[in-house]
Amino acid sequence: EMSEMSERSKQNVAHGLAWSYYVGYLKIVLPRLKKSMEEFSRGNPNLLACRKTWKLHILVPLSCDVYDDLEKADSNIQYMTDLTETTLARAGIKKRVYKHSLYAIRDEDNQLWHCAVEYATPLQSLYAMSQDECAAFSREERLEQTKLFYRTLEEILKGSKECAGAYRLIAYEEPETAEPHFLSREIMWHLRQEHQEEIAVLEGSDPHTPSTALDSAELNLQISESDLPQPLRSDGF
C-alpha cells in the first residue's frame, strides 16, 4: 500500500535519484576530492589558498535548467583545468574515469576566485522526464521533485562520514528576468561564506552566516514524514 501511494505521488522518483547520485557517484568521488585539491594546490599555491573551498560545489537549480557548458551559463565563470582523475573498474567498465573541473569565478571587483563546481546531474533526468509524455510530469511536479531531491540528498550527505567536509550544496531559484551574472554571484556568495568560516576558525570565533541562501527549511514541501519513501541503509555499501 505504501509503495502504491509513493508510486501515485511520484515521491519515489526524486528519492531514488538522490540515493543513486550518492551511491553511484558522490560516495566514490568526494572522499578522494581533498587529495586532488591538495595535489593541485601544491603546484598552484595562490589559487586555492582557502582550504574551506576545497570542496565540490554542487549546483541545484530548482528549474532543472542545467547547462553542459558553465561558461555559456555565465561569462564570469571560466574553465581552468581538470583535477587529478580517479580511475576505477565499475559494473564491468574497465578504467572508468571520474574527474572534476576547476573554474575561475570573477566577482564584481574583477577578482578571481577558484573552485570545483558542477551541476547535480540527476536534474537532467528530472527535466527530461517532464518533457516525456510517458513520465507525465507537470512543471509543478518537477519543481516538487527537485525540492525533494535536494532535501533527500542533503540528509544523505549529512549522515555520510566519508563525504563530510568535501561538498557544498548550492540550491537556488533563478530570477524571472534574465540576469547574465546571477549564477556567478550565487557561487560567490558561498565562496565568501567559506572564506569567513576559515577566518573564524583561525581566529577562534563563530562564523556569522546570513540567511540569504536557500536551505532545506525554505524547500519544505509540506510532506509528512510518514508519506516519504523510507531511506535505504547506507552502512552496507
Side-chain angles (χ1 to χ4, degrees), residues 68-236:
D68 289 326
D69 189 341
L70 274 169
E71 293 172 306
K72 292 182 179 178
D74 189 323
S75 60
N76 279 347
I77 303 174
Q78 296 295 319
Y79 167 79
M80 285 191 58
T81 187
D82 291 329
L83 296 175
T84 306
E85 297 177 349
T86 296
T87 304
L88 300 171
R90 290 284 292 177
I93 303 173
K94 295 288 187 180
K95 298 181 180 180
R96 182 166 182 176
V97 175
Y98 298 87
K99 65 180 180 180
H100 308 289
S101 295
L102 196 69
Y103 287 87
I105 316 296
R106 189 177 301 276
D107 67 14
E108 60 275 9
D109 297 321
N110 215 33
Q111 293 182 331
L112 294 179
W113 300 58
H114 302 87
C115 68
V117 59
E118 61 190 51
Y119 286 100
T121 51
L123 298 183
Q124 289 182 312
S125 298
L126 280 177
Y127 184 83
M129 290 176 71
S130 71
Q131 304 299 306
D132 194 308
E133 292 181 1
C134 296
F137 259 27
S138 68
R139 189 173 182 177
E140 290 74 20
E141 286 173 324
R142 186 182 72 201
L143 176 60
E144 182 177 295
Q145 289 294 314
T146 308
K147 291 179 178 179
L148 182 55
F149 169 82
Y150 174 86
R151 288 177 56 201
T152 305
L153 182 61
E154 183 182 45
E155 287 302 312
I156 293 170
L157 288 171
K158 280 182 179 178
S160 173
K161 294 180 180 178
E162 301 96 327
C163 300
Y167 69 91
R168 191 172 183 107
L169 296 179
I170 303 178
Y172 59 91
E173 189 168 11
E174 294 172 325
E176 294 181 3
T177 56
E179 295 183 24
H181 301 305
F182 168 80
L183 184 55
S184 59
R185 287 200 304 271
E186 193 72 20
I187 297 171
M188 279 304 312
W189 187 91
H190 287 270
L191 292 178
R192 287 191 172 107
Q193 292 308 304
E194 290 166 340
H195 273 257
Q196 289 181 17
E197 290 167 11
E198 178 154 300
I199 292 171
V201 170
L202 293 174
E203 294 179 348
S205 59
D206 293 326
H208 173 64
T209 305
S211 56
T212 58
L214 288 176
D215 57 23
S216 57
E218 294 174 277
L219 297 175
N220 183 19
L221 300 179
Q222 303 301 321
I223 298 175
S224 69
E225 291 299 321
S226 61
D227 290 336
L228 289 172
Q230 295 303 303
L232 302 174
R233 290 176 60 88
S234 60
D235 56 351

Side-chain angles (χ1 to χ4, degrees), residues 4-12 141 144-145 227:
E4 289 178 1
M5 288 173 60
S6 294
E7 191 74 29
R8 286 195 299 269
S9 64
K10 300 188 179 73
Q11 292 172 10
N12 56 331
E141 286 173 324
E144 182 177 295
Q145 289 294 314
D227 290 336

Side-chain angles (χ1 to χ4, degrees), residues 8-74:
R8 286 195 299 269
S9 64
K10 300 188 179 73
Q11 292 172 10
N12 56 331
V13 174
H15 190 265
L17 284 174
W19 271 102
S20 177
Y21 184 47
Y22 167 68
V23 174
Y25 180 63
L26 295 181
K27 194 174 182 181
I28 297 170
V29 301
L30 290 183
R32 297 169 170 83
L33 183 67
K34 289 273 177 114
K35 183 179 178 181
S36 295
M37 288 284 197
E38 191 168 356
E39 289 176 358
F40 180 84
S41 182
R42 282 199 294 266
N44 305 271
N46 295 326
L47 297 186
L48 293 174
C50 176
R51 296 181 70 92
K52 281 285 185 177
T53 64
W54 292 13
K55 301 174 182 177
L56 181 61
H57 298 77
I58 304 170
L59 303 177
V60 185
L62 300 187
S63 65
C64 290
D65 193 3
V66 173
Y67 286 80
D68 289 326
D69 189 341
L70 274 169
E71 293 172 306
K72 292 182 179 178
D74 189 323

